[in-house]
Amino acid sequence: MPAPRYVAPSYSPSYGGGRRSSRGVSDTRCGNRRYCGQMRSCREAQFYYRQCGVRRLDGDRDGVPCESLCG
């Protein structure tokens, strides 16, 4: 009998789900939040800005998303 073959998990961004960490930020997937008013924390805004590419979170293009939360 052949040895079991290991298959590494693949990452594919998904919109609309994902596991949540204890901090409320999606661990592996992008959800459907697109506006600062939908963010619960600066950490979540940074995740969506950096990991999911939601550039509209940085209105003045200074590299800081959602100044109301992270300013």
Side-chain angles (χ1 to χ4, degrees):
M1 180 180 236
R5 197 177 104 202
Y6 174 76
V7 177
S10 64
Y11 172 78
S12 62
S14 166
Y15 297 96
R19 291 180 302 163
R20 297 264 174 208
S21 73
S22 61
R23 293 179 212 123
V25 177
S26 178
D27 290 335
T28 58
R29 298 181 183 170
C30 297
N32 57 3
R33 294 189 178 118
R34 297 287 174 253
Y35 302 97
C36 291
Q38 297 171 314
M39 302 297 152
R40 296 181 197 147
S41 67
C42 177
R43 186 179 198 105
E44 184 175 35
Q46 290 172 338
F47 174 82
Y48 275 87
Y49 179 70
R50 293 179 183 149
Q51 299 298 109
C52 304
V54 183
R55 299 292 174 220
R56 72 173 51 166
L57 298 177
D58 183 14
D60 60 3
R61 299 179 187 204
D62 66 351
V64 179
C66 301
E67 275 81 1
S68 62
L69 293 171
C70 301

